[in-house]
């Protein structure tokens, strides 16, 4: 029969084992949390789309997001697209795919020349944001380009919209709000593209100024 001394020793050992087990479980959980991939370094995004052969898709299509293609908009959900020059512009297709598995949504933005297009993205986040040219819509008319059959393969611009803003996001939010305040006016092309990190994409084909279009 156990004496009180033995019982006390057994209780102390049990408490020690419980504490060790708890520490192991907690440490394991911490490792699991730390092991979660950071979307800002792992998301296979592409903030510059277009650029393939074919009159429709040869123009640049740019999401105004950080280099990681992961971006946290402000409370309004304001995002921006920069589309390059084209003699035969077509409309843009915006697809939003929530990562929680809910239904995706599609939006069409009217065709336009080289310009900045601003609009709001509502709904849950994270959400995958994809933008492409509607090369098969027919709104550019009959194309004389013999390579027109490859137009539909033009890579879309691809980004991930999240909720937690970082300093880079906050800087971009401010730039986009500045452009929003100039809706309907024009801004210098080279300066504007440099602000968003796209100075190397400016060529002689681009106009000197870009109109700012705001879609509700």
């Amino acid at each position: 029969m156990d004496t009180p001394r033995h019982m006390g020793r057994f209780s102390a050992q049990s408490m020690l084992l419980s504490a060790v087990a708890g520490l192991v479980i907690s440490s394991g959980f911490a490792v699991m949390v730390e092991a979660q991939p950071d979307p800002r370094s792992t998301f296979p995004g592409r903030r510059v789309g277009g650029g393939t052969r074919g009159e429709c898709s040869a123009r640049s299509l740019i999401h105004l997001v950080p280099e990681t293609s992961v971006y946290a908009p402000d409370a309004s959900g304001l995002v921006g697209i920069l589309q390059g020059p084209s003699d035969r512009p077509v409309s843009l297709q915006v697809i939003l795919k929530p990562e929680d598995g809910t239904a995706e949504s599609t939006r069409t933005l009217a065709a336009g020349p080289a310009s900045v297009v601003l609009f709001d993205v509502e709904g849950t986040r994270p959400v995958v944001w994809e933008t492409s040219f509607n090369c098969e819509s027919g709104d550019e008319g009959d194309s004389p380009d013999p390579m027109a059959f490859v137009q539909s393969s033009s890579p879309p611009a691809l980004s991930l919209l999240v909720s937690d803003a970082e300093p880079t996001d906050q800087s971009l939010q401010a730039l986009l709000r500045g452009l929003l305040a100039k809706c309907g006016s024009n801004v210098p092309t080279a300066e504007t593209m440099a602000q968003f990190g796209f100075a190397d994409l400016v060529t002689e084909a681009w106009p000197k100024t870009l109109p700012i279009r705001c879609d509700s």
Side-chain angles (χ1 to χ4, degrees):
M1 184 173 182
D2 290 327
T3 64
R5 180 179 179 182
H6 290 160
M7 292 292 292
R9 182 181 300 171
F10 179 77
S11 298
Q13 290 175 340
S14 298
M15 292 176 63
L16 179 59
L17 289 174
S18 297
V20 171
L23 179 60
V24 170
I25 293 173
S26 298
S27 300
F29 178 75
V31 170
M32 290 177 62
V33 171
E34 291 177 358
Q36 294 297 319
D38 179 6
R40 293 182 184 272
S41 60
T42 61
F43 179 71
R46 180 178 49 249
R47 61 177 183 167
V48 180
T52 60
R53 290 195 62 176
E55 184 176 359
C56 167
S57 56
R59 65 193 307 206
S60 297
L61 179 59
I62 304 167
H63 282 177
L64 299 180
V65 297
E67 290 184 12
T68 59
S69 288
V70 179
Y71 176 56
D74 62 17
S76 71
L78 180 65
V79 296
I81 294 172
L82 179 61
Q83 54 183 340
S86 173
D87 294 332
R88 305 178 61 150
V90 299
S91 58
L92 302 175
Q93 183 179 57
V94 175
I95 301 177
L96 299 174
K97 303 176 181 179
E99 289 207 325
D100 63 4
T102 55
E104 65 181 49
S105 61
T106 303
R107 177 175 183 173
T108 300
L109 303 176
S115 57
V116 176
V117 183
L118 303 176
F119 59 98
D120 296 337
V121 171
E122 300 177 351
T124 59
R125 297 174 194 157
V127 60
V128 176
W129 166 28
E130 181 179 305
T131 308
S132 58
F133 292 115
N134 276 322
C135 292
E136 298 179 347
S137 64
D139 54 3
E140 83 280 13
D142 296 327
S143 174
D145 187 352
M147 295 296 291
F149 68 90
V150 302
Q151 293 178 349
S152 60
S153 65
S154 174
L158 186 67
S159 300
L160 179 68
L161 301 180
V162 297
S163 299
D164 300 328
E166 296 188 350
T168 301
D169 301 311
Q170 295 169 349
S171 298
L172 282 175
Q173 291 172 6
L175 288 173
L176 290 174
R177 286 194 296 267
L179 292 177
L180 183 64
K182 300 176 181 178
C183 279
S185 61
N186 286 36
V187 292
T189 299
E191 178 182 338
T192 301
M193 293 183 68
Q195 288 177 327
F196 288 94
F198 299 108
D200 58 324
L201 297 183
V202 181
T203 66
E204 294 181 355
W206 286 77
K208 298 298 182 183
T209 62
L210 294 170
I212 301 176
R213 192 178 88 204
C214 299
D215 282 64
S216 58

